[in-house]
Amino acid sequence: MTDSPGRAVPEDASTAVGCLIAGEWVSDGRQADRVGPWTRSVVSTARQADERDVETALGYARRGAKAVARMSPAARAGVLERAAAEALARRDELARLLALELGKPVKDGRGEIDRVADTFAVSAAEARRVGGEVLPVAGWARGVGNTALTYRAPVGVALAITPFNAPANLLAHKLAASFAAGNTTIVKPPPQAPASSAAVVRLLLDAGMPPEAVQVLHGGGPVGAALSAAPEVGVISFTGSPGTGAAVARAAGAKRLVLELGGNAATIVCEDADIAAAARICAATGYSNSGQSCISVQRVYVHRSRYQEFLDAFTLAVEKLNVGDPLDAATDVGSMVDDDAAERVVSWAHEAADAGATITTGGRRDGATVIPTVVASPPPDARLVREEVFGAAVAVRPFDDFDDVLTTCNDSRYGLQAGLFTHDMRRIVTAWRELEVGGLIVNGSSNYRLDHVPFGGVKDSGFGREAPRWMIDDYTVVKTLMLRGISLFGDQEDAR
């Protein structure tokens, strides 16, 4: 494929990536190229795993699980802390990889690597806190004179299947929490970001993570299906589309699953909101990473009394976003993952316009780059409203009644996060109680996340929660020790 006019390709843009199997980076075998959506050139080449690789990786993981579990929490935390420092040291290098492979603006890439460092640091702290309980069994007659203890034991082998939109930080979440819990992990990265994903794994290996703790298998659906179905795997953490998530669940059978499957997030702007701030925040968070975020602002509902004011301010703010070369530090909006994704977003916007909506800005693409698009008053059954657009287009609709708009927001098969701009505490509490979502952001848009706070959804947005503390619960099993005739509470004389 030839380069697009005016889009210079760095001389060292292409990166070769192997599979990490049984402690070795394996490069010989079938290869797959990743063509950058901005440069239109090959930016990385990944060695593809086959059936034998899957078998080898599973056997090595099974054997290595006990070695990883025997590491002290202090040793695991030390690895994660060193990796956090290393991530910050390599921030520009890793952000550049994200820009080349995905078209993500380099400033967003730097922000993602900052989050990787935070995720490693938080996981290190949580590694030190994995413990158990002394249970109050003497409160019941049959428990008098006895003691029950619990502790959280590693599952053994975890499988992490990661998406393209935030390949570094979402891999960090899955892999760091799994290691903090004492597991070994097999990683299946997204085909669109093999080099970025491998670079995150190398951070941990360079920080002292033992080879038994992680393996990386690049490949398509068959590799993911084979790993998901393998009896050696005790827990699967998957982030991606609902369709692929359902396929993973079918292959997994009776396994622990943490599924984050996307959304079509709503943000509500009430009549008492700071309209200028709401418009600015929605513009910044609706188009970051070209809208390719499961919590990206997609539906904005504005009280009719402030609707036109918001729409004008929002459209103006969107038009001020810098669109262009993702390697340019001034760029706000780079490319989407590929041309097909960009074409889908634009077609959905025009489909809504054909049904009576107004495109106030954007509505076109340049290759894989969607010019930030605002669609005013689309019909409620438009795909731009009903489905997950996962792109640089935002729908804006008026509402009249607060209770009604909560019902409208809930009229979706998704339920990940929502935003609410208001200073009315009664509305805040009502929305927190009534909205069918995993998280509510007040005086912010749906697109806000702290990496140490539980994150996840309901309905078709999946189940389970990400953030190291909550993920460790999924990556461990509770083991109970019952001491008959031994009491910590001085009640032996009543032992039954």
Side-chain angles (χ1 to χ4, degrees):
M1 183 176 291
T2 59
D3 302 338
S4 296
R7 298 184 179 182
V9 182
E11 291 182 2
D12 60 341
S14 184
T15 303
V17 184
C19 288
L20 178 59
I21 305 171
E24 300 289 337
W25 289 100
V26 179
S27 57
D28 61 310
R30 188 169 66 87
Q31 309 287 323
D33 292 337
R34 169 60 180 165
V35 175
W38 176 261
T39 66
R40 306 289 186 166
S41 67
V42 175
V43 293
S44 57
T45 300
R47 194 267 194 185
Q48 303 296 286
D50 57 27
E51 290 183 9
R52 181 175 296 180
D53 296 327
V54 170
E55 289 182 10
T56 302
L58 288 168
Y60 187 71
R62 184 180 62 249
R63 294 190 299 273
K66 289 187 177 181
V68 178
R70 283 195 295 266
M71 290 182 70
S72 70
R76 294 198 293 267
V79 169
L80 293 165
E81 287 171 339
R82 290 189 294 273
E86 193 64 21
L88 295 177
R90 300 186 195 177
R91 181 173 179 251
D92 289 345
E93 167 196 340
L94 297 176
R96 182 176 177 278
L97 270 179
L98 291 168
L100 290 171
E101 286 194 315
L102 299 168
K104 175 177 286 194
V106 71
K107 68 178 180 181
D108 289 347
R110 290 171 182 151
E112 182 172 347
I113 302 309
D114 287 343
R115 292 179 63 186
V116 167
D118 287 347
T119 300
F120 285 160
V122 173
S123 297
E126 294 301 335
R128 294 187 166 95
R129 285 195 277 264
V130 179
E133 294 182 79
V134 178
L135 301 179
V137 297
W140 283 261
R142 292 183 62 245
V144 172
N146 304 319
T147 298
L149 308 171
T150 69
Y151 83 99
R152 303 201 73 93
V155 168
V157 179
L159 171 61
I161 304 177
T162 55
F164 71 81
N165 61 314
N169 191 41
L170 292 177
L171 173 54
H173 267 281
K174 299 176 191 303
L175 180 52
S178 178
F179 180 62
N183 296 301
T184 183
T185 309
I186 300 175
V187 175
K188 184 195 171 300
Q192 302 92 338
S196 302
S197 304
V200 173
V201 173
R202 287 193 176 96
L203 289 175
L204 290 158
L205 292 172
D206 291 348
M209 176 178 275
E212 297 90 347
V214 61
Q215 298 178 88
V216 180
L217 297 182
H218 301 283
V223 173
L227 290 169
S228 299
E232 293 89 344
V233 172
V235 59
I236 301 171
S237 179
F238 168 86
T239 302
S241 71
T244 306
V248 168
R250 286 193 297 270
K255 286 190 180 74
R256 291 184 174 207
L257 294 172
V258 180
L259 302 179
E260 198 281 280
L261 305 178
N264 63 343
T267 291
I268 301 169
V269 181
C270 295
E271 62 267 36
D272 67 329
D274 181 335
I275 294 297
R280 173 178 49 81
I281 291 170
C282 287
T285 56
Y287 304 91
S288 59
N289 198 23
S290 292
Q292 295 171 123
S293 168
C294 53
I295 51 175
S296 184
V297 179
Q298 180 174 333
R299 300 179 286 155
V300 183
Y301 296 96
V302 187
H303 192 271
R304 193 175 299 276
S305 65
R306 311 294 299 276
Y307 174 73
Q308 193 61 49
E309 180 186 356
F310 175 88
L311 183 62
D312 292 344
F314 180 58
T315 299
L316 181 61
V318 170
E319 289 175 338
K320 289 181 178 179
L321 295 172
N322 292 318
V323 182
D325 185 349
L327 288 170
D328 186 337
T331 296
D332 298 308
V333 179
S335 300
M336 293 193 63
V337 69
D338 55 39
D339 286 14
D340 288 345
E343 177 57 30
R344 176 184 53 77
V345 172
V346 172
S347 70
W348 284 15
H350 284 279
E351 181 182 274
D354 290 342
T358 301
I359 298 175
T360 65
T361 190
R364 63 190 190 280
R365 69 182 179 96
D366 176 11
T369 298
V370 173
I371 307 305
T373 299
V374 177
V375 181
S377 298
D381 60 350
R383 283 194 288 182
L384 191 67
V385 176
R386 301 294 301 174
E387 301 299 328
E388 182 177 31
V389 68
F390 213 68
V394 175
V396 185
R397 287 179 50 83
F399 75 90
D400 295 296
D401 180 80
F402 186 70
D403 290 335
D404 288 346
V405 79
L406 297 182
T407 300
T408 298
C409 292
N410 287 338
D411 184 21
S412 170
R413 64 191 183 102
Y414 298 108
L416 191 49
Q417 285 199 165
L420 173 64
F421 285 90
T422 185
H423 299 288
D424 186 331
M425 195 63 199
R426 289 172 297 179
R427 284 178 173 168
I428 292 170
V429 172
T430 298
W432 190 25
R433 183 179 63 242
E434 298 297 332
L435 284 174
E436 297 167 355
V437 293
L440 174 64
I441 314 301
V442 176
N443 290 321
S445 79
S446 59
N447 194 359
Y448 182 74
R449 178 181 178 184
L450 296 176
D451 292 292
H452 62 286
V453 173
F455 174 82
V458 298
K459 300 193 286 190
D460 280 1
S461 287
F463 48 82
R465 292 295 179 265
E466 291 186 343
R469 174 184 157 191
W470 285 266
M471 295 178 80
I472 284 172
D473 286 349
D474 290 305
Y475 284 129
T476 54
V477 294
V478 175
K479 299 188 73 172
T480 301
L481 176 66
M482 181 65 71
L483 301 174
R484 295 293 307 275
I486 301 174
S487 176
L488 302 180
F489 305 103
D491 55 0
Q492 286 91 339
E493 68 278 6
D494 296 326
R496 300 292 191 270

